[in-house]
Every structure is written in C-alpha cells, then in structure tokens.
Amino acid sequence: MNQKKMIIFSAPSGSGKSTIINYLLKKGYPIEFSISATTREPRGEEKHGVEYYFFSLEEFKEKIDAGEFLEYEEVYENRFYGTLNSECERIWAKGKTIVFDVDVAGGIRLKELFGDRALAIFIQLPSFEELRRRLEMRNTETPEELEKRIGKAEFELQFSYMFDNIILNDVLENACKETEEIISKFLE
Ligand code: ADP
Ligand code: 5GP
C-alpha cells in the first residue's frame, strides 16, 4: 500500500546531510530523493533536474504565486529553495518514500504538515570549528557565503529539539549506520 511517507533531513549547511543521504540511497531501500527548486547558481557539475531544478528568481516567484510549492524558504538573502508539489507526487506515484534535504525551518514545516507520516532527522555537527573545516574543504562557497552559512548554523542549532531524532555526525561511518537503523525501522 502507498502510505505516502517521508524522511526529512535538516541541519546547518556543511553538517553532512548530502553525504549521509547519498549513503542511504545506495542501500536499495524504497526511497527517492526529492529534487528541490532553487534560485542559486549550479556549482561544479550540478545539472538541472539532478541535484536541483535551477530557476531564475522571477520563475521561482511565478511558481510561488501559482501555488506550486509544498513549502519554500528564502534560506539566504535572495536565495530561495523549495519543494514542488509535483516532485512529491512523482515519487509517491512510484510507491516510494520521499527523502528531503531541507533547511531547518523547512524541516519543521514539513513535520508539522505530515506528523507521523514524516520522520524528521537532525544532523548534529560536532563543533563550529569542524563545520568551518568541512565547508572550507568542500570549497563550494565564496568566503562571504561561507560566513553566512556559519552564522546561520548558530541560529539553526537551537531547533534540533523539534526533530524526531538527532544524529551526531562526528565519525561518518557511525552516523551513517545509526541513521540507517532508524530509517529501516520507519520503513517497516
Ligand atoms: P550538507 O549536505 O549538510 O551541506 P555535506 O554532506 O556536503 O553537507 O558535507 C560537507 C562536507 O563535509 C563534505 O565535503 C563532506 O565530504 C564532509 N563530511 C561530511 N561528513 C563528514 C564527517 N563525518 N567527517 C568529515 N567530513 C565529513
Ligand atoms: P545548498 O545551497 O548547500 O545546496 O543548500 C542550502 C540549504 O538549503 C541547505 O540547508 C538545504 O538543506 C536547504 N534546502 C535545499 N532544498 C530545500 C527545499 O526544498 N526547501 C528548504 N526549505 N530548504 C532547502
């Protein structure tokens, strides 16, 4: 039976959400990643319809007005990110559970909307020094953007208590295994 469930991953940027999600997606569970829409520029090899649907600010605002988003946030100034209703329907139509990588406000919004049908996981970073180190190593932001992300992390960390589970991502392998145990129970 298609129960239309979802698993939400939220955490400050650089905490390791994408890394843990990519680990889970390779494990053969009936889950699929929700491709968000964004107004940020593609970085590196990112392609429209793979990592994100990339839209101009104008296109994004048209979609807001047309009611096409399940949720959206202005995560950074003029940088909008959102989940399209069509994306959820596409995944649920296959009988799969949706996996979201959304900011903390978006995660809380989705949990409120979907209640027990949603498993909300917060990825906890070991320290701000380590967050800075990981973002510098990833090397995908300008120094200015990097500071914005670290500044926002301090704010976002206050809301971890609103999630169903908090996973400390210190040793990656442990964090992946712990997350896998939780999601396999949720999918049963
Ligand atoms: P997010 O999706 O939350 O922004 P990423 O998954 O892109 O974060 O991780 C940020 C960076 O930190 C990446 O370069 C990733 O390889 C690295 N990383 C993730 N988890 C760990 C970990 N446990 N230890 C060391 N580096 C990590
Ligand atoms: P990035 O630019 O690093 O890919 O993402 C920046 C932030 O936007 C991350 O915290 C990510 O989880 C969040 N994000 C990505 N897609 C969505 C979405 O659809 N909705 C919300 N609310 N946040 C999103």
Side-chain angles (χ1 to χ4, degrees):
M1 194 183 75
N2 184 355
Q3 286 190 294
K4 295 193 170 185
K5 295 206 284 189
M6 58 175 63
I7 302 168
I8 305 158
F9 286 91
S10 294
S13 177
S15 305
K17 297 180 297 289
S18 313
T19 308
I20 294 172
I21 290 172
N22 286 333
Y23 165 87
L24 295 169
L25 290 174
K26 289 189 192 125
K27 290 280 170 168
Y29 294 105
I31 57 177
E32 190 164 327
F33 182 63
S34 163
I35 303 167
S36 293
T38 182
T39 63
R40 84 149 161 74
E41 296 293 316
R43 55 190 185 212
E45 298 291 295
E46 286 182 340
K47 293 206 168 50
H48 182 80
V50 180
E51 289 82 5
Y52 280 105
Y53 300 111
F54 293 99
F55 295 118
S56 67
L57 193 55
E58 198 183 23
E59 286 169 327
F60 200 100
K61 287 188 171 166
E62 277 168 17
K63 291 185 188 300
I64 295 174
D65 292 343
E68 290 185 36
F69 286 106
L70 175 62
E71 65 79 37
Y72 70 89
E73 297 285 338
E74 188 174 4
V75 177
Y76 307 102
E77 200 184 348
N78 271 331
R79 292 272 186 277
F80 285 81
Y81 294 80
T83 305
L84 292 161
N85 290 311
S86 57
E87 183 66 8
C88 298
E89 293 309 329
R90 179 182 76 78
I91 298 171
W92 280 331
K94 297 183 192 174
K96 290 188 178 175
T97 292
I98 307 175
V99 174
F100 289 103
D101 174 341
V102 291
D103 82 325
V104 173
I108 293 169
R109 172 88 36 88
L110 288 171
K111 179 67 190 176
E112 275 170 4
L113 281 172
F114 290 91
D116 288 347
R117 282 165 55 197
L119 173 68
I121 298 178
F122 191 95
I123 305 296
Q124 181 83 47
L125 47 101
S127 65
F128 284 106
E129 292 71 35
E130 176 62 9
L131 177 66
R132 180 177 290 278
R133 195 190 69 81
R134 286 183 194 172
L135 284 172
E136 283 171 357
M137 293 271 292
R138 193 173 72 181
N139 197 21
T140 45
E141 275 76 34
T142 62
E144 192 192 332
E145 281 170 343
L146 193 142
E147 292 309 325
K148 275 190 199 157
R149 283 171 191 244
I150 291 174
K152 188 168 168 126
E154 292 189 37
F155 172 75
E156 290 185 310
L157 282 178
Q158 300 172 63
F159 301 99
S160 60
Y161 76 94
M162 296 179 84
F163 287 72
D164 296 316
N165 294 90
I166 300 176
I167 305 283
L168 174 68
N169 182 20
D170 187 357
V171 178
L172 181 61
E173 200 189 337
N174 296 348
C176 288
K177 289 268 151 58
E178 206 184 319
T179 312
E180 190 175 356
E181 266 175 42
I182 292 167
I183 74 141
S184 63
K185 280 202 194 107
F186 178 71
L187 293 171
E188 268 168 16

